[in-house]
Amino acid sequence: MSTIAQQLAEDFDAIKADFPVTITHNGTSYSGTMSAASKGRNLEEGGLFPDIDAVLIMKSADFTTKPKAGEKVLINSCFDCSLRLQNYRITNVEFPDGAVINISIIGLTQ
């Protein structure tokens, strides 16, 4: 019988297979998946623009040096072809369960 951690890792691998993304961060390539990307900057309540375009979801253990806000990532390949070879700035990094890392990004051209 597999543990919950093993089941989650297998589920994450299945999601990566269906919605793959590869990025380069600090010269190293990583694979994972991502949320749907917003392509516009709709004004939010209070006159503020959202500070993210998408969230990258990667395995935390793959990173020897964890990404930090302000650093850049390049999307090498993605299930959304319009995002390929685009540079993004990291706005936030979260470790919700220790197994994955959520990297919020925003396009550098906005």
Side-chain angles (χ1 to χ4, degrees):
M1 179 174 201
S2 60
T3 66
I4 291 174
Q6 290 169 324
Q7 290 173 358
L8 290 172
E10 290 169 7
D11 290 345
F12 185 69
D13 288 339
I15 293 168
K16 283 185 358 180
D18 289 339
F19 303 101
V21 63
T22 59
I23 65 166
T24 299
H25 172 260
N26 287 340
T28 304
S29 291
Y30 301 95
S31 63
T33 190
M34 67 184 289
S35 69
S38 66
K39 301 214 173 31
R41 302 239 338 179
N42 296 328
L43 204 57
E44 292 183 342
E45 190 174 325
L48 302 173
F49 287 108
D51 63 350
I52 66 167
D53 286 340
V55 178
L56 300 168
I57 303 139
M58 317 298 268
K59 282 188 177 178
S60 184
D62 289 348
F63 290 86
T64 52
T65 303
K66 303 297 189 227
K68 297 180 193 130
E71 294 178 340
K72 295 176 185 164
V73 296
L74 170 71
I75 295 183
N76 299 314
S77 64
C78 182
F79 58 89
D80 184 341
C81 294
S82 67
L83 304 176
R84 287 186 64 235
L85 304 177
Q86 299 289 324
N87 285 295
Y88 290 83
R89 180 176 48 85
I90 298 171
T91 60
N92 190 36
V93 179
E94 296 176 336
F95 303 91
D97 62 5
V100 299
I101 181 172
N102 294 341
I103 305 167
S104 300
I105 58 173
I106 190 165
L108 293 177
T109 58
Q110 298 180 11

